[in-house]
mmCIF file of all heavy atoms in Angstrom:
data_model
loop_
_atom_site.group_PDB
_atom_site.id
_atom_site.type_symbol
_atom_site.label_atom_id
_atom_site.label_comp_id
_atom_site.label_asym_id
_atom_site.label_seq_id
_atom_site.Cartn_x
_atom_site.Cartn_y
_atom_site.Cartn_z
ATOM 1 N N VAL A 45 -1.305 -1.010 2.391
ATOM 2 C CA VAL A 45 -2.028 -2.255 2.111
ATOM 3 C C VAL A 45 -1.408 -3.409 2.898
ATOM 4 O O VAL A 45 -2.125 -4.206 3.518
ATOM 5 C CB VAL A 45 -2.047 -2.552 0.593
ATOM 6 C CG1 VAL A 45 -2.584 -3.954 0.316
ATOM 7 C CG2 VAL A 45 -2.874 -1.498 -0.138
ATOM 8 N N CYS A 46 -0.081 -3.503 2.883
ATOM 9 C CA CYS A 46 0.598 -4.556 3.659
ATOM 10 C C CYS A 46 0.224 -4.467 5.127
ATOM 11 O O CYS A 46 -0.068 -5.488 5.770
ATOM 12 C CB CYS A 46 2.106 -4.459 3.495
ATOM 13 S SG CYS A 46 2.736 -4.987 1.884
ATOM 14 N N ASP A 47 0.222 -3.260 5.679
ATOM 15 C CA ASP A 47 -0.134 -3.099 7.094
ATOM 16 C C ASP A 47 -1.573 -3.512 7.369
ATOM 17 O O ASP A 47 -1.863 -4.119 8.399
ATOM 18 C CB ASP A 47 0.106 -1.666 7.552
ATOM 19 C CG ASP A 47 1.495 -1.464 8.130
ATOM 20 O OD1 ASP A 47 2.219 -2.463 8.346
ATOM 21 O OD2 ASP A 47 1.852 -0.304 8.382
ATOM 22 N N ALA A 48 -2.479 -3.196 6.460
ATOM 23 C CA ALA A 48 -3.880 -3.598 6.636
ATOM 24 C C ALA A 48 -3.997 -5.120 6.646
ATOM 25 O O ALA A 48 -4.669 -5.700 7.500
ATOM 26 C CB ALA A 48 -4.758 -2.993 5.548
ATOM 27 N N LEU A 49 -3.335 -5.766 5.696
ATOM 28 C CA LEU A 49 -3.382 -7.227 5.617
ATOM 29 C C LEU A 49 -2.756 -7.876 6.848
ATOM 30 O O LEU A 49 -3.335 -8.795 7.443
ATOM 31 C CB LEU A 49 -2.660 -7.704 4.351
ATOM 32 C CG LEU A 49 -3.312 -7.358 3.024
ATOM 33 C CD1 LEU A 49 -2.331 -7.580 1.881
ATOM 34 C CD2 LEU A 49 -4.585 -8.152 2.822
ATOM 35 N N LEU A 50 -1.583 -7.404 7.215
ATOM 36 C CA LEU A 50 -0.891 -7.968 8.371
ATOM 37 C C LEU A 50 -1.692 -7.750 9.646
ATOM 38 O O LEU A 50 -1.789 -8.645 10.496
ATOM 39 C CB LEU A 50 0.511 -7.362 8.486
ATOM 40 C CG LEU A 50 1.490 -7.765 7.374
ATOM 41 C CD1 LEU A 50 2.717 -6.853 7.386
ATOM 42 C CD2 LEU A 50 1.890 -9.229 7.495
ATOM 43 N N GLY A 51 -2.292 -6.582 9.776
ATOM 44 C CA GLY A 51 -3.105 -6.293 10.955
ATOM 45 C C GLY A 51 -4.311 -7.201 11.053
ATOM 46 O O GLY A 51 -4.624 -7.729 12.131
ATOM 47 N N ALA A 52 -4.982 -7.406 9.942
ATOM 48 C CA ALA A 52 -6.163 -8.271 9.955
ATOM 49 C C ALA A 52 -5.797 -9.708 10.318
ATOM 50 O O ALA A 52 -6.584 -10.416 10.945
ATOM 51 C CB ALA A 52 -6.863 -8.245 8.591
ATOM 52 N N ALA A 53 -4.589 -10.123 9.946
ATOM 53 C CA ALA A 53 -4.141 -11.487 10.226
ATOM 54 C C ALA A 53 -3.481 -11.619 11.602
ATOM 55 O O ALA A 53 -3.104 -12.717 11.997
ATOM 56 C CB ALA A 53 -3.166 -11.940 9.147
ATOM 57 N N GLY A 54 -3.332 -10.494 12.311
ATOM 58 C CA GLY A 54 -2.673 -10.528 13.612
ATOM 59 C C GLY A 54 -1.176 -10.759 13.495
ATOM 60 O O GLY A 54 -0.560 -11.371 14.378
ATOM 61 N N LEU A 55 -0.582 -10.258 12.424
ATOM 62 C CA LEU A 55 0.834 -10.488 12.146
ATOM 63 C C LEU A 55 1.690 -9.220 12.283
ATOM 64 O O LEU A 55 2.683 -9.067 11.593
ATOM 65 C CB LEU A 55 0.991 -11.082 10.740
ATOM 66 C CG LEU A 55 0.421 -12.487 10.545
ATOM 67 C CD1 LEU A 55 0.467 -12.895 9.075
ATOM 68 C CD2 LEU A 55 1.191 -13.477 11.396
ATOM 69 N N ARG A 56 1.297 -8.339 13.160
ATOM 70 C CA ARG A 56 2.046 -7.108 13.431
ATOM 71 C C ARG A 56 2.002 -6.159 12.238
ATOM 72 O O ARG A 56 0.935 -5.860 11.740
ATOM 73 C CB ARG A 56 3.449 -7.428 13.909
ATOM 74 C CG ARG A 56 3.402 -8.197 15.242
ATOM 75 C CD ARG A 56 4.670 -8.308 15.953
ATOM 76 N NE ARG A 56 5.278 -7.018 16.243
ATOM 77 C CZ ARG A 56 6.356 -6.891 16.982
ATOM 78 N NH1 ARG A 56 6.940 -7.948 17.503
ATOM 79 N NH2 ARG A 56 6.860 -5.713 17.207
ATOM 80 N N ASP A 57 3.169 -5.682 11.766
ATOM 81 C CA ASP A 57 3.176 -4.648 10.731
ATOM 82 C C ASP A 57 4.332 -4.838 9.757
ATOM 83 O O ASP A 57 5.207 -5.683 9.950
ATOM 84 C CB ASP A 57 3.205 -3.253 11.354
ATOM 85 C CG ASP A 57 4.422 -3.032 12.234
ATOM 86 O OD1 ASP A 57 5.541 -3.367 11.816
ATOM 87 O OD2 ASP A 57 4.250 -2.519 13.351
ATOM 88 N N ILE A 58 4.346 -4.020 8.720
ATOM 89 C CA ILE A 58 5.339 -4.125 7.658
ATOM 90 C C ILE A 58 6.761 -3.911 8.182
ATOM 91 O O ILE A 58 7.697 -4.579 7.755
ATOM 92 C CB ILE A 58 4.993 -3.167 6.489
ATOM 93 C CG1 ILE A 58 5.874 -3.451 5.269
ATOM 94 C CG2 ILE A 58 5.064 -1.722 6.923
ATOM 95 C CD1 ILE A 58 5.471 -2.696 4.028
ATOM 96 N N GLY A 59 6.932 -3.001 9.120
ATOM 97 C CA GLY A 59 8.257 -2.742 9.676
ATOM 98 C C GLY A 59 8.821 -3.923 10.447
ATOM 99 O O GLY A 59 10.033 -4.108 10.520
ATOM 100 N N PHE A 60 7.955 -4.725 11.017
ATOM 101 C CA PHE A 60 8.390 -5.922 11.741
ATOM 102 C C PHE A 60 8.926 -6.972 10.770
ATOM 103 O O PHE A 60 9.962 -7.589 11.011
ATOM 104 C CB PHE A 60 7.232 -6.495 12.558
ATOM 105 C CG PHE A 60 7.574 -7.760 13.292
ATOM 106 C CD1 PHE A 60 8.278 -7.708 14.483
ATOM 107 C CD2 PHE A 60 7.194 -8.990 12.782
ATOM 108 C CE1 PHE A 60 8.609 -8.875 15.163
ATOM 109 C CE2 PHE A 60 7.521 -10.167 13.446
ATOM 110 C CZ PHE A 60 8.237 -10.109 14.642
ATOM 111 N N HIS A 61 8.220 -7.162 9.655
ATOM 112 C CA HIS A 61 8.588 -8.195 8.696
ATOM 113 C C HIS A 61 9.654 -7.750 7.696
ATOM 114 O O HIS A 61 10.445 -8.568 7.222
ATOM 115 C CB HIS A 61 7.355 -8.688 7.939
ATOM 116 C CG HIS A 61 6.396 -9.386 8.827
ATOM 117 N ND1 HIS A 61 6.564 -10.701 9.219
ATOM 118 C CD2 HIS A 61 5.256 -8.945 9.438
ATOM 119 C CE1 HIS A 61 5.566 -11.054 10.025
ATOM 120 N NE2 HIS A 61 4.766 -10.004 10.161
ATOM 121 N N PHE A 62 9.658 -6.465 7.357
ATOM 122 C CA PHE A 62 10.592 -5.925 6.362
ATOM 123 C C PHE A 62 11.231 -4.650 6.920
ATOM 124 O O PHE A 62 10.951 -3.548 6.450
ATOM 125 C CB PHE A 62 9.857 -5.624 5.045
ATOM 126 C CG PHE A 62 8.967 -6.744 4.561
ATOM 127 C CD1 PHE A 62 7.583 -6.632 4.636
ATOM 128 C CD2 PHE A 62 9.515 -7.909 4.039
ATOM 129 C CE1 PHE A 62 6.755 -7.656 4.187
ATOM 130 C CE2 PHE A 62 8.695 -8.941 3.593
ATOM 131 C CZ PHE A 62 7.318 -8.816 3.671
ATOM 132 N N PRO A 63 12.091 -4.773 7.930
ATOM 133 C CA PRO A 63 12.618 -3.592 8.626
ATOM 134 C C PRO A 63 13.484 -2.693 7.746
ATOM 135 O O PRO A 63 14.191 -3.169 6.853
ATOM 136 C CB PRO A 63 13.440 -4.194 9.767
ATOM 137 C CG PRO A 63 13.715 -5.599 9.383
ATOM 138 C CD PRO A 63 12.614 -6.024 8.467
ATOM 139 N N ASP A 64 13.405 -1.385 8.018
ATOM 140 C CA ASP A 64 14.154 -0.427 7.205
ATOM 141 C C ASP A 64 15.641 -0.367 7.567
ATOM 142 O O ASP A 64 16.390 0.401 6.975
ATOM 143 C CB ASP A 64 13.520 0.965 7.272
ATOM 144 C CG ASP A 64 13.546 1.586 8.643
ATOM 145 O OD1 ASP A 64 14.136 1.004 9.579
ATOM 146 O OD2 ASP A 64 12.964 2.675 8.789
ATOM 147 N N ASN A 65 16.077 -1.195 8.508
ATOM 148 C CA ASN A 65 17.507 -1.280 8.790
ATOM 149 C C ASN A 65 18.117 -2.559 8.193
ATOM 150 O O ASN A 65 19.254 -2.900 8.485
ATOM 151 C CB ASN A 65 17.780 -1.196 10.291
ATOM 152 C CG ASN A 65 17.098 -2.297 11.077
ATOM 153 O OD1 ASN A 65 16.409 -3.150 10.515
ATOM 154 N ND2 ASN A 65 17.276 -2.268 12.383
ATOM 155 N N ASP A 66 17.346 -3.232 7.363
ATOM 156 C CA ASP A 66 17.798 -4.455 6.699
ATOM 157 C C ASP A 66 18.133 -4.110 5.246
ATOM 158 O O ASP A 66 17.250 -3.726 4.468
ATOM 159 C CB ASP A 66 16.706 -5.524 6.765
ATOM 160 C CG ASP A 66 17.163 -6.875 6.275
ATOM 161 O OD1 ASP A 66 18.035 -6.936 5.372
ATOM 162 O OD2 ASP A 66 16.628 -7.888 6.775
ATOM 163 N N GLU A 67 19.392 -4.255 4.881
ATOM 164 C CA GLU A 67 19.849 -3.882 3.539
ATOM 165 C C GLU A 67 19.195 -4.697 2.429
ATOM 166 O O GLU A 67 19.175 -4.271 1.270
ATOM 167 C CB GLU A 67 21.378 -3.984 3.452
ATOM 168 C CG GLU A 67 22.088 -2.871 4.210
ATOM 169 C CD GLU A 67 21.682 -1.484 3.743
ATOM 170 O OE1 GLU A 67 21.715 -1.207 2.525
ATOM 171 O OE2 GLU A 67 21.300 -0.667 4.607
#
Side-chain angles (χ1 to χ4, degrees):
V45 170
C46 287
D47 268 351
L49 292 166
L50 292 166
L55 293 172
R56 297 193 57 173
D57 59 46
I58 190 172
F60 178 80
H61 294 280
F62 312 107
D64 64 5
N65 59 0
D66 188 329
E67 287 303 309

